[in-house]
Each structure stands twice: as C-alpha cells, then as structure tokens.
Amino acid sequence: MKNSKYRKNEEKIFIMLMQASCGIILLIMGLILLTILRKGIPAFSWEILTSVPKGGFYFGGEGGILNAIIGSIYLAMGATFIALIISLPTALFLNVHLRKYRKLQNAIRLFIDILWGIPSVVYGSFAFTIMIYFGLRASLIAGILTVAVFIAPIMIRSMDETLKTVPLILYEAATSLGSTKFEISYKVFFKQCIPGMVTAILLSFGRAIGDAASVLFTTGFTDNIPKSLTQPAATLPLSIFFQLTSPIPEVRERAYAAALILTIIILLISITGRGISLRYMNNQIK
Amino acid sequence: MIVTLSLVILTPIVMCICLSVKSSLLFESLPVGKIFFTSAWEPSKGNFGFLPFILSSIFITFLAVLIAGPVCLFSALYLTQYARVRLVRIMQPVIDILAGIPSVVYGVWGIIVIVPFVSNVVAPLFHIQTTGYTLIAGGIVLAVMITPFILNILIEILRTIPSELSEATLSLGATKWEVIKHVIVRKAKPGIVSAFGLGVSRAFGETIAVLMVAGNVAKIPGGLFDPVYPLPALIANNYGEMMSIPLYDSALMMAALILFVSILVFNFFSRISIYHLERNL
Amino acid sequence: MLHMTKEKIHIENLEVSIGKEHILKNINCTIPEKKITVILGPSGCGKTTLLKSMNRLTDLYSDVKINGKIELNGKNIYNGISDINDLRRKMGLLSQRPAPLPMNIFNNVAYGLKISGRRKKRYLRLRVEHYLKQANLWDEVKDRLYSPANSLSIGQQQRLCLARGLAVDPELILADEPTSSLDPISSQAIENRLMELKNHYTIIVVTHALRQARRIADYIIFLYLGEIIEQCEASEFFNNPKNEITKAYLRGSFN
C-alpha cells in the first residue's frame, strides 16, 4: 500500500512538471508576442510603413522603412520563385521516377535533411566569396540566389512529405492508362498535392523573408527601393538589426516597429498555411 | 528533373570544396595547434586563434540545449501521452508560430526582455555587475529559439511508438508515468538523443539573434555572466572589413568551414539514428 | 449449465462511442469464471473495443465515451474504483502483435513484480522461472535470460507476453486475437497454453477465426455491428444456432 502511494505521488509530481513545461512554452510565446506588440505599436506610424529613409534617418530623422519592406518582399518572392523552379522537379522526380529505388530515395532524403541544418551564415559567406572571386557587388539578384539555395532543401523536403502521401493505387492507375512518368508527375502527383505544395511554398517564403545572416553580405543595404536586380536592396531583418544597435532611442523605437511589421507578415503566412492545410484535411476525409 | 536534383546535390559539395580551399591558405601560414588551441585573435598581426570562438560556440550551444531539452521532453511527453485533444490543438499552432518567428525578432525580444532581466535580476543575485549581454542571455534566447524545433521532432518520434506497448504495460498494473519512464522513453531513446542532436546543430549555427545578445568579446568565457563570441557571430560581424587584412578572409572561411563540417556530422548521425528508429518500429 | 458456474464479469447496458461513431450498442452479457469465453464476430464489429473497455484501456483515448455498467466480481469498474492500476493488474492482456517491453527477457517477466514493490533477487528469479515454464518458454530461453526480448521470434515473444501477464497474478486473461500474427505452430502453442490455464484463470479471447473458436471456446459471445446477436455455450452455438445472422456466419456467408 505504501508502495502504491509512493508511485501515485511520483506520477503526480511528474505530471505537474510536464504541465509546467507546456505552460512555460505557452507563456514564452505570449511574452514574445506581447513584447513585440507593446514596443512596436507605440512606435508604429504610417510614415514608417509608407516612406523611405530621409536625410538623417539613422540619427532619428524623418522617414520610414518602405525600402526594407519592399526589398524583403522582392527578395523573398524572387528566392521562393527560383527555389520553386529547383524544388518542384526535384521533389516530383524523387517521388515518381525514383519510386522503385527505395534505397536511393532514402539516401537523397537523408542528404537533403542534412542540408536543411546548414546555417544560413555559411551560405551567405560562401556566396560572398564567390561574388568577390567574380568581382561582383552586393545586389538583389545575389541575395535572391543565395536565399534560394538556402531554402531549396526546406521546400523540397516539405513537398516531398506531401507527395509521399499520394497512394500507390493512383500511381498504378495512371500508369495502366498509359501515362508517361512526366504526365504522372505533373497531372497526377502535382494536382493531387497542390494544397500541400502551397503550404511548402509559404513555409519557404517565411524562411526567406525572415533570414538575415544570408543576406547580410550578399544583398547589401540601401535607402532606396531597388529598381533593378543588380542594385543592392534593404531587407527587413537587417533594417531591424542595424537600427536596434543604434545608440539613439528614436532609431531603436523604429526597430521595434519594424520587428512588429515582420512578425505580422510571418503570422499572416503561418495562419494562411494552417488554413490551407486544415481545409485540405477536410477535403481529404470527404 | 535530373538536372535540378544534381544541382541540389552538387551545391553543398562545391561549397565544401570552396571553403576548404579558401581556408587552407590559413594552414599554410600558421601551425594547426596555433589555430585551434590559442586564444590570440589579432588579425592585423596575423594571429588567428580560434579557441575563444570555438569554446563560446560550444558553451552557448550546450547551455541552450540544457535549458530547452528538459522542457521539450516533458512537453512532448505530456502532449503525446496525457493531454486532451484540445490542448494539442492549441499547442500545435503555438509551436508552429514559434518556429516561424525570424531569428532577428528573437534577437529584439532578447534585447528588450532577457538582457535587462539578466543584468537587473539574475546577476545581482550572485552579486555580479554586468550589462546583461552574456553567455546566459544568449543561452536563454537560443534555448527559446530551438524549443519549437526540438519539440516538433520529439512529438513526431513519440507518436511512432505503438500504443500496444503502453497498453501492455498498463495491463501489468503500471501507472502511466511508469509506462513513460520504463518503456516509452527507453524505446524512443535513440530518437530523443537525435532530436537533441539536431537541436545542437540548430543552436550551433544560429547567427543574428546570438550576435545581438551574446556580447561578442573575443575572450575565453570564464562563467555564465561573461560575454561570448560564437563562430557565426564572428563571421557576420567581420565580413565587411575582411578584405583589407591579409588572411582575414581565409580565417573567416575557416570559421564557416568549422560550422559547416560540425553541423553536417551532427545532423548526419542524428538523422541516421532517427531513420533506424522509425524503420525498426 | 451456465448458471452453475460463477459469473466473473457482468455487463449491463454498455454503450460505447468513439467520436461520433457508435461502436457498441446495448451490450448485456456475462463472462463465466474459469472458462474460455470467445468474443466472436467479423472484423470491425467492436470486439476489441468491448475487450478494452473491460480493463479501461479505453481511458487512453480521449474521444471515447462510455455509458453503462461493467461489474468485476460484483463491483462496477466505472464507478467507485479507487485504484485503476490495480484493476488493470487483475487482467493480463495479450495483444494482436506481441509487444515485448524494451528490456531483457528476465526483466520483461519481472517488471510487473518489480513495480508492485517486490525486488528481492531470489524471489524474482524463482517467479520468472515459474511463469516462463507456465508459458512453455523456459527451456528455450533459460540460457539467455539477459538478452533483449526482441531478439526472440514472434511466436516466442507472444509466449513471453503471456508469461509477463501471468507474473502479476491476474484473475483474468484478456487476449485480443492473440494468434493473428503467429505461424500455425506458434498459434497452437498459445492455444494449448490457454486451454491448460483455464483451470486457474478466467480467459476471454477475441477472434474472428471460427475454427479457433471451435477449438477453444467454452462459451461464445457473437458480436455483429456492435450488437450481441447470440451468447451461449459453445456447443449450442455451433450445433444449434438460433439467430439467422449466426447461421449465415457459420455457413461462411460473410467474414
């Protein structure tokens, strides 16, 4: 009886610990969002959202961070687009053509999983070295290419995860109708997985827009909105980073507002992705 | 399709070769022992001792995983074994959002909340005066950042443990906690270790947030309240000026190579172990 | 015949639903003591759910709703049970696929004893040997008691699970299609064990294999689409079925 009481108490203590852990995570999440909101909202203004830095901006002068917002969107869209061109065929190839070769399939998956973990600063510094070698200057296109290489493994693997769920029967049915592998890839697998694909793209877009270390050397920074791919471009994460390290309080305030804007963009992407996958799941059951 | 696939596979190999070639210049002019085991970092004099950066990276990573590990494990166990469906439905988006927040935002949060907290609350407890930009601040911020990442992997792994196993154990009169302690954790152990391993490599390569809160002083840290200067921060901080000093670029490439290789190794073993675990179930 | 044996479990008006699905409808039955009761029926008719509601493994799934009464030795297990672990301990479980614990062979059998506080080496050793012999596994494993349990063959694993279940000294053995993943020889070994064990334990076997039911059952509960169609002595069930559905099932019209 004593034994059983001891065991029950042990369980109670650990349940409390486990609940506390979940609580901490919820709390931290709340704390982060609250901090960003509380600091960001007072510093936010239309001017920040709609104008580029004017003279003396970095000493507390007038202006906004439109340059960084537009720059980030250009960069993330460009990088996502190029990553898509690389990832979609790769993911389809992996699931349609290599279907028979289980070992090779798993080896490639393993390889891409490992790539996923390489930090963006390594990609950034590698790209920078290449740029120096060819005598290129920091530009939007260089940033786009670097980020594309860095998000491609993420996109491939998340597309791969949805493609994996396509039932074998569908593949066999399509083959028996005489479709070529290419047709199967794009007509069957791709169409079947469009919602999952969109989620994968959104995930990668979020990654692209939020990363700072890979664009630090490759994209540069400018107060203007880039007009061509060869011009340097400002990005939101870097704009936050530079302003936050400023000794002038007004400039730091604006970093908070910029962080708020970036967080809202990320939240919107996350919610959209979730909505799509929920809807998708409903469709699947019916 | 084959072209894109080979592109994906070749890029990192080219990257590795490039980094090696570049950093080999450093080996030609400095002995290996001096590069890895001294702490003199004076680029203009040609001294490149990586020890403080390597140690900083190891310490901050270790601290982050030490903080995040138990919280993640306990939460993952609770969410997979005890929690009601409703809590899981709340937690899943929370984890996803935490995973999606960009590292610079974590940095902002670290500067606004954690750094003052360390400087005003924690350090005075030990009668230490500090700005707050320290190993411990970096460790906390990093721990928060890797939490959603580790948690997701842990949940995925724990869900693969067949329910028959816990049913069988419960039928022997075990409490649910005993099932977890004696059976589930034991069965999932390789997976749990791998999840932490992946967390380590994530923490090891994290750049901007750490750069913002860790203090960045090139000295071997002596305690939790000393500033640290991890490898990614070293690269990010000095890239602009490296061209003017000889060998500086090789040294930074060297830092990138160290990151690249150690993360590859960590990821490789973790992923292999997870694959094996999932296949054996 | 039935009224001469004591009843071990008594179920009244049991309703079980999982999510929106009504799995078991108005179940009323009794399980006689020290007999083999076979819960028979086609796949997906709720057999396993009925079995798992008896030791409240259904608690594990938060969307399961249970109404009604299940009495063990005259006490309702869904109301006023103080120790659910003790309740489960009274019912040894044998599942479809053997689920050896991630430990060595010895500890698999000793685990149930250890957690209930009995830790003396000599005692454990004697008990483990005893129950492995009861499960007819001792001779095959006595030289490698400390190798991991999953190094055994599937058939041996299932017998190990039986020994493990017996070691906590249960009153009942709940077996959920215990031979469905085994080869014919291992299946027979398990069936023979159950036949011998029924002198000491009340045994409930879930199966969809008619032949198995014929071989081992003393008493049959025939379940179809979540309802009990017929429950009676095995001989009566097979020789003189009353219900049309039962007759069709025995003819092999559906499975």
Short mmCIF file of all heavy atoms in Angstrom, two decimals, chain C residues 33-80:
data_model
loop_
_atom_site.label_atom_id
_atom_site.label_comp_id
_atom_site.label_asym_id
_atom_site.label_seq_id
_atom_site.Cartn_x
_atom_site.Cartn_y
_atom_site.Cartn_z
N GLU C 33 -16.70 -17.65 -14.83
CA GLU C 33 -15.38 -17.77 -14.23
C GLU C 33 -14.70 -19.07 -14.66
O GLU C 33 -15.33 -20.10 -14.84
CB GLU C 33 -15.51 -17.73 -12.70
CG GLU C 33 -14.18 -17.60 -12.01
CD GLU C 33 -14.35 -17.43 -10.50
OE1 GLU C 33 -15.37 -17.87 -9.95
OE2 GLU C 33 -13.43 -16.85 -9.89
N LYS C 34 -13.39 -18.98 -14.82
CA LYS C 34 -12.56 -20.14 -15.15
C LYS C 34 -13.06 -20.93 -16.35
O LYS C 34 -13.15 -22.16 -16.33
CB LYS C 34 -12.40 -21.04 -13.92
CG LYS C 34 -11.56 -20.33 -12.87
CD LYS C 34 -11.21 -21.16 -11.69
CE LYS C 34 -10.41 -20.28 -10.73
NZ LYS C 34 -10.40 -20.78 -9.37
N LYS C 35 -13.42 -20.18 -17.37
CA LYS C 35 -13.78 -20.79 -18.65
C LYS C 35 -13.10 -19.95 -19.73
O LYS C 35 -12.64 -18.84 -19.46
CB LYS C 35 -15.30 -20.70 -18.89
CG LYS C 35 -16.14 -21.43 -17.88
CD LYS C 35 -16.42 -22.83 -18.36
CE LYS C 35 -17.33 -23.54 -17.36
NZ LYS C 35 -16.96 -24.94 -17.18
N ILE C 36 -13.10 -20.46 -20.94
CA ILE C 36 -12.68 -19.63 -22.05
C ILE C 36 -13.92 -19.09 -22.74
O ILE C 36 -14.74 -19.86 -23.26
CB ILE C 36 -11.81 -20.41 -23.06
CG1 ILE C 36 -10.52 -20.89 -22.38
CG2 ILE C 36 -11.48 -19.53 -24.26
CD1 ILE C 36 -9.57 -21.60 -23.31
N THR C 37 -14.06 -17.78 -22.67
CA THR C 37 -15.16 -17.13 -23.39
C THR C 37 -14.58 -16.53 -24.65
O THR C 37 -13.60 -15.79 -24.60
CB THR C 37 -15.77 -16.02 -22.53
OG1 THR C 37 -16.24 -16.60 -21.32
CG2 THR C 37 -16.90 -15.34 -23.26
N VAL C 38 -15.18 -16.85 -25.77
CA VAL C 38 -14.69 -16.29 -27.02
C VAL C 38 -15.66 -15.22 -27.50
O VAL C 38 -16.87 -15.45 -27.58
CB VAL C 38 -14.53 -17.38 -28.10
CG1 VAL C 38 -14.30 -16.76 -29.47
CG2 VAL C 38 -13.37 -18.30 -27.75
N ILE C 39 -15.10 -14.03 -27.74
CA ILE C 39 -15.91 -12.98 -28.36
C ILE C 39 -15.66 -13.09 -29.85
O ILE C 39 -14.57 -12.86 -30.34
CB ILE C 39 -15.53 -11.58 -27.84
CG1 ILE C 39 -15.70 -11.53 -26.33
CG2 ILE C 39 -16.38 -10.53 -28.51
CD1 ILE C 39 -15.29 -10.22 -25.71
N LEU C 40 -16.72 -13.48 -30.57
CA LEU C 40 -16.57 -13.83 -31.97
C LEU C 40 -17.30 -12.81 -32.82
O LEU C 40 -18.32 -12.26 -32.41
CB LEU C 40 -17.16 -15.23 -32.17
CG LEU C 40 -17.02 -15.89 -33.53
CD1 LEU C 40 -15.58 -16.22 -33.81
CD2 LEU C 40 -17.87 -17.16 -33.58
N GLY C 41 -16.80 -12.59 -34.01
CA GLY C 41 -17.51 -11.69 -34.91
C GLY C 41 -16.60 -11.23 -36.02
O GLY C 41 -15.38 -11.35 -35.91
N PRO C 42 -17.20 -10.73 -37.12
CA PRO C 42 -16.39 -10.25 -38.23
C PRO C 42 -15.56 -9.02 -37.83
O PRO C 42 -15.87 -8.37 -36.84
CB PRO C 42 -17.42 -9.89 -39.30
CG PRO C 42 -18.71 -9.73 -38.57
CD PRO C 42 -18.64 -10.60 -37.37
N SER C 43 -14.52 -8.72 -38.60
CA SER C 43 -13.66 -7.59 -38.28
C SER C 43 -14.45 -6.30 -38.21
O SER C 43 -15.39 -6.10 -38.98
CB SER C 43 -12.55 -7.43 -39.33
OG SER C 43 -12.12 -8.68 -39.75
N GLY C 44 -14.07 -5.46 -37.29
CA GLY C 44 -14.68 -4.14 -37.20
C GLY C 44 -16.05 -4.14 -36.56
O GLY C 44 -16.83 -3.21 -36.73
N CYS C 45 -16.37 -5.17 -35.78
CA CYS C 45 -17.70 -5.20 -35.17
C CYS C 45 -17.66 -4.70 -33.74
O CYS C 45 -18.67 -4.66 -33.06
CB CYS C 45 -18.29 -6.60 -35.23
SG CYS C 45 -17.39 -7.77 -34.22
N GLY C 46 -16.48 -4.33 -33.25
CA GLY C 46 -16.40 -3.77 -31.90
C GLY C 46 -15.86 -4.73 -30.86
O GLY C 46 -15.90 -4.45 -29.67
N LYS C 47 -15.32 -5.88 -31.32
CA LYS C 47 -14.82 -6.88 -30.37
C LYS C 47 -13.72 -6.31 -29.48
O LYS C 47 -13.76 -6.43 -28.26
CB LYS C 47 -14.23 -8.09 -31.14
CG LYS C 47 -15.21 -8.80 -32.01
CD LYS C 47 -14.54 -9.97 -32.71
CE LYS C 47 -13.34 -9.58 -33.52
NZ LYS C 47 -13.44 -9.46 -34.95
N THR C 48 -12.73 -5.69 -30.15
CA THR C 48 -11.58 -5.19 -29.39
C THR C 48 -12.00 -4.09 -28.43
O THR C 48 -11.54 -4.03 -27.30
CB THR C 48 -10.50 -4.68 -30.36
OG1 THR C 48 -10.13 -5.76 -31.20
CG2 THR C 48 -9.29 -4.19 -29.62
N THR C 49 -12.92 -3.23 -28.89
CA THR C 49 -13.41 -2.16 -28.02
C THR C 49 -14.06 -2.74 -26.77
O THR C 49 -13.84 -2.26 -25.66
CB THR C 49 -14.43 -1.29 -28.77
OG1 THR C 49 -13.86 -0.91 -30.02
CG2 THR C 49 -14.77 -0.04 -27.98
N LEU C 50 -14.85 -3.81 -26.97
CA LEU C 50 -15.51 -4.44 -25.82
C LEU C 50 -14.44 -4.96 -24.85
O LEU C 50 -14.54 -4.76 -23.64
CB LEU C 50 -16.41 -5.58 -26.32
CG LEU C 50 -17.15 -6.38 -25.24
CD1 LEU C 50 -18.03 -5.45 -24.41
CD2 LEU C 50 -18.01 -7.48 -25.86
N LEU C 51 -13.41 -5.59 -25.41
CA LEU C 51 -12.36 -6.15 -24.56
C LEU C 51 -11.66 -5.04 -23.79
O LEU C 51 -11.42 -5.14 -22.59
CB LEU C 51 -11.35 -6.90 -25.44
CG LEU C 51 -10.37 -7.78 -24.69
CD1 LEU C 51 -11.08 -9.05 -24.23
CD2 LEU C 51 -9.18 -8.13 -25.55
N LYS C 52 -11.33 -3.94 -24.50
CA LYS C 52 -10.55 -2.89 -23.86
C LYS C 52 -11.37 -2.08 -22.87
O LYS C 52 -10.81 -1.45 -21.97
CB LYS C 52 -9.95 -1.96 -24.93
CG LYS C 52 -8.77 -2.61 -25.60
CD LYS C 52 -8.07 -1.71 -26.57
CE LYS C 52 -6.89 -2.44 -27.19
NZ LYS C 52 -6.37 -1.72 -28.35
N SER C 53 -12.70 -2.09 -23.03
CA SER C 53 -13.49 -1.37 -22.04
C SER C 53 -13.54 -2.15 -20.73
O SER C 53 -13.87 -1.60 -19.69
CB SER C 53 -14.89 -1.09 -22.57
OG SER C 53 -15.51 -2.29 -22.95
N MET C 54 -13.18 -3.45 -20.79
CA MET C 54 -13.21 -4.24 -19.55
C MET C 54 -12.07 -3.90 -18.61
O MET C 54 -12.21 -4.05 -17.40
CB MET C 54 -13.16 -5.73 -19.88
CG MET C 54 -14.43 -6.23 -20.54
SD MET C 54 -14.37 -8.00 -20.75
CE MET C 54 -15.54 -8.23 -22.05
N ASN C 55 -10.89 -3.50 -19.14
CA ASN C 55 -9.86 -3.07 -18.21
C ASN C 55 -9.56 -1.58 -18.35
O ASN C 55 -8.50 -1.10 -18.00
CB ASN C 55 -8.59 -3.92 -18.34
CG ASN C 55 -7.89 -3.75 -19.66
OD1 ASN C 55 -8.43 -3.12 -20.56
ND2 ASN C 55 -6.69 -4.28 -19.77
N ARG C 56 -10.52 -0.91 -18.93
CA ARG C 56 -10.47 0.55 -19.04
C ARG C 56 -9.27 1.06 -19.80
O ARG C 56 -8.77 2.15 -19.51
CB ARG C 56 -10.57 1.21 -17.65
CG ARG C 56 -11.96 1.04 -17.06
CD ARG C 56 -12.15 1.75 -15.76
NE ARG C 56 -11.88 3.19 -15.85
CZ ARG C 56 -12.06 4.03 -14.84
NH1 ARG C 56 -12.52 3.58 -13.69
NH2 ARG C 56 -11.80 5.30 -14.97
N LEU C 57 -8.78 0.29 -20.75
CA LEU C 57 -7.75 0.85 -21.64
C LEU C 57 -8.38 1.89 -22.54
O LEU C 57 -7.68 2.69 -23.16
CB LEU C 57 -7.12 -0.27 -22.48
CG LEU C 57 -6.03 -1.07 -21.78
CD1 LEU C 57 -5.48 -2.15 -22.68
CD2 LEU C 57 -4.91 -0.17 -21.30
N THR C 58 -9.71 1.87 -22.61
CA THR C 58 -10.39 2.89 -23.40
C THR C 58 -10.16 4.29 -22.84
O THR C 58 -10.32 5.27 -23.54
CB THR C 58 -11.90 2.61 -23.42
OG1 THR C 58 -12.29 2.20 -22.12
CG2 THR C 58 -12.24 1.51 -24.39
N ASP C 59 -9.75 4.36 -21.56
CA ASP C 59 -9.46 5.67 -20.95
C ASP C 59 -8.36 6.40 -21.70
O ASP C 59 -8.26 7.63 -21.65
CB ASP C 59 -8.95 5.49 -19.50
CG ASP C 59 -10.07 5.02 -18.60
OD1 ASP C 59 -11.14 4.69 -19.12
OD2 ASP C 59 -9.85 5.00 -17.38
N LEU C 60 -7.49 5.64 -22.38
CA LEU C 60 -6.35 6.25 -23.04
C LEU C 60 -6.76 7.18 -24.17
O LEU C 60 -6.01 8.04 -24.58
CB LEU C 60 -5.42 5.18 -23.62
CG LEU C 60 -4.70 4.25 -22.66
CD1 LEU C 60 -3.75 3.37 -23.42
CD2 LEU C 60 -3.94 5.07 -21.64
N TYR C 61 -7.95 6.95 -24.71
CA TYR C 61 -8.34 7.72 -25.88
C TYR C 61 -9.41 8.71 -25.48
O TYR C 61 -10.48 8.32 -24.99
CB TYR C 61 -8.81 6.77 -26.98
CG TYR C 61 -7.79 5.69 -27.21
CD1 TYR C 61 -7.93 4.43 -26.63
CD2 TYR C 61 -6.62 5.97 -27.92
CE1 TYR C 61 -6.95 3.46 -26.79
CE2 TYR C 61 -5.65 5.01 -28.07
CZ TYR C 61 -5.81 3.76 -27.51
OH TYR C 61 -4.83 2.83 -27.65
N SER C 62 -9.11 9.99 -25.66
CA SER C 62 -9.96 10.99 -25.03
C SER C 62 -11.30 11.12 -25.74
O SER C 62 -12.22 11.71 -25.19
CB SER C 62 -9.24 12.34 -24.99
OG SER C 62 -8.82 12.69 -26.29
N ASP C 63 -11.45 10.58 -26.96
CA ASP C 63 -12.75 10.76 -27.62
C ASP C 63 -13.68 9.55 -27.43
O ASP C 63 -14.70 9.45 -28.08
CB ASP C 63 -12.55 11.07 -29.11
CG ASP C 63 -11.63 10.07 -29.77
OD1 ASP C 63 -11.01 9.28 -29.04
OD2 ASP C 63 -11.52 10.09 -31.00
N VAL C 64 -13.30 8.67 -26.51
CA VAL C 64 -14.17 7.51 -26.25
C VAL C 64 -15.16 7.85 -25.14
O VAL C 64 -14.78 8.35 -24.09
CB VAL C 64 -13.32 6.29 -25.82
CG1 VAL C 64 -14.23 5.12 -25.45
CG2 VAL C 64 -12.37 5.89 -26.92
N LYS C 65 -16.45 7.59 -25.43
CA LYS C 65 -17.47 7.83 -24.40
C LYS C 65 -18.13 6.51 -24.02
O LYS C 65 -18.50 5.72 -24.88
CB LYS C 65 -18.55 8.78 -24.94
CG LYS C 65 -18.18 10.22 -24.80
CD LYS C 65 -19.43 11.09 -24.76
CE LYS C 65 -19.03 12.53 -24.99
NZ LYS C 65 -18.68 12.76 -26.43
N ILE C 66 -18.25 6.29 -22.71
CA ILE C 66 -18.78 5.01 -22.25
C ILE C 66 -19.95 5.24 -21.31
O ILE C 66 -19.88 6.05 -20.39
CB ILE C 66 -17.68 4.20 -21.53
CG1 ILE C 66 -16.60 3.83 -22.54
CG2 ILE C 66 -18.26 2.95 -20.88
CD1 ILE C 66 -15.52 2.95 -22.00
N ASN C 67 -21.05 4.52 -21.56
CA ASN C 67 -22.19 4.53 -20.65
C ASN C 67 -22.55 3.10 -20.32
O ASN C 67 -22.37 2.21 -21.13
CB ASN C 67 -23.39 5.22 -21.31
CG ASN C 67 -23.28 6.72 -21.16
OD1 ASN C 67 -23.05 7.22 -20.06
ND2 ASN C 67 -23.43 7.43 -22.27
N GLY C 68 -23.07 2.92 -19.12
CA GLY C 68 -23.47 1.58 -18.74
C GLY C 68 -22.60 1.06 -17.61
O GLY C 68 -21.89 1.81 -16.95
N LYS C 69 -22.71 -0.26 -17.39
CA LYS C 69 -22.09 -0.81 -16.20
C LYS C 69 -21.27 -2.04 -16.57
O LYS C 69 -21.73 -2.90 -17.32
CB LYS C 69 -23.21 -1.19 -15.22
CG LYS C 69 -22.76 -1.36 -13.80
CD LYS C 69 -23.91 -1.13 -12.82
CE LYS C 69 -24.83 -2.31 -12.74
NZ LYS C 69 -25.76 -2.26 -11.61
N ILE C 70 -20.03 -2.09 -16.08
CA ILE C 70 -19.28 -3.33 -16.18
C ILE C 70 -18.88 -3.72 -14.76
O ILE C 70 -18.20 -2.95 -14.08
CB ILE C 70 -18.01 -3.17 -17.04
CG1 ILE C 70 -18.39 -2.79 -18.48
CG2 ILE C 70 -17.20 -4.46 -17.04
CD1 ILE C 70 -17.22 -2.66 -19.42
N GLU C 71 -19.33 -4.89 -14.32
CA GLU C 71 -19.01 -5.30 -12.97
C GLU C 71 -17.98 -6.41 -12.99
O GLU C 71 -18.12 -7.40 -13.70
CB GLU C 71 -20.27 -5.81 -12.26
CG GLU C 71 -21.19 -4.68 -11.86
CD GLU C 71 -22.43 -5.20 -11.17
OE1 GLU C 71 -22.67 -6.43 -11.17
OE2 GLU C 71 -23.20 -4.38 -10.63
N LEU C 72 -16.94 -6.22 -12.18
CA LEU C 72 -15.96 -7.28 -11.98
C LEU C 72 -16.13 -7.76 -10.55
O LEU C 72 -16.07 -6.96 -9.61
CB LEU C 72 -14.55 -6.72 -12.20
CG LEU C 72 -13.41 -7.66 -11.85
CD1 LEU C 72 -13.29 -8.78 -12.86
CD2 LEU C 72 -12.09 -6.89 -11.77
N ASN C 73 -16.37 -9.04 -10.37
CA ASN C 73 -16.64 -9.59 -9.05
C ASN C 73 -17.75 -8.81 -8.33
O ASN C 73 -17.68 -8.58 -7.14
CB ASN C 73 -15.40 -9.59 -8.16
CG ASN C 73 -14.27 -10.39 -8.79
OD1 ASN C 73 -14.54 -11.37 -9.49
ND2 ASN C 73 -13.04 -9.97 -8.54
N GLY C 74 -18.73 -8.33 -9.10
CA GLY C 74 -19.83 -7.62 -8.49
C GLY C 74 -19.61 -6.14 -8.21
O GLY C 74 -20.47 -5.47 -7.66
N LYS C 75 -18.43 -5.61 -8.62
CA LYS C 75 -18.18 -4.18 -8.39
C LYS C 75 -18.06 -3.45 -9.71
O LYS C 75 -17.32 -3.89 -10.60
CB LYS C 75 -16.88 -4.00 -7.60
CG LYS C 75 -17.12 -3.73 -6.12
CD LYS C 75 -15.86 -3.14 -5.51
CE LYS C 75 -15.22 -4.07 -4.51
NZ LYS C 75 -13.84 -3.85 -4.22
N ASN C 76 -18.77 -2.33 -9.86
CA ASN C 76 -18.71 -1.58 -11.10
C ASN C 76 -17.34 -0.94 -11.28
O ASN C 76 -16.87 -0.19 -10.42
CB ASN C 76 -19.79 -0.49 -11.09
CG ASN C 76 -19.90 0.19 -12.45
OD1 ASN C 76 -19.11 -0.06 -13.35
ND2 ASN C 76 -20.90 1.04 -12.59
N ILE C 77 -16.68 -1.22 -12.41
CA ILE C 77 -15.33 -0.70 -12.59
C ILE C 77 -15.32 0.74 -13.09
O ILE C 77 -14.30 1.41 -13.09
CB ILE C 77 -14.50 -1.56 -13.57
CG1 ILE C 77 -15.14 -1.57 -14.96
CG2 ILE C 77 -14.37 -2.97 -13.05
CD1 ILE C 77 -14.20 -2.07 -16.02
N TYR C 78 -16.50 1.23 -13.51
CA TYR C 78 -16.53 2.62 -13.98
C TYR C 78 -17.00 3.57 -12.90
O TYR C 78 -17.20 4.74 -13.13
CB TYR C 78 -17.40 2.74 -15.23
CG TYR C 78 -16.65 2.27 -16.45
CD1 TYR C 78 -16.80 0.99 -16.94
CD2 TYR C 78 -15.74 3.12 -17.06
CE1 TYR C 78 -16.08 0.56 -18.03
CE2 TYR C 78 -15.02 2.69 -18.15
CZ TYR C 78 -15.18 1.43 -18.63
OH TYR C 78 -14.46 1.00 -19.71
N ASN C 79 -17.21 3.03 -11.73
CA ASN C 79 -17.76 3.87 -10.68
C ASN C 79 -17.20 3.39 -9.35
O ASN C 79 -17.42 2.27 -8.94
CB ASN C 79 -19.29 3.73 -10.70
CG ASN C 79 -19.94 4.88 -9.96
OD1 ASN C 79 -19.24 5.67 -9.31
ND2 ASN C 79 -21.25 4.96 -10.03
N GLY C 80 -16.49 4.24 -8.69
CA GLY C 80 -16.04 3.90 -7.36
C GLY C 80 -14.85 2.96 -7.30
O GLY C 80 -14.61 2.32 -6.30
#
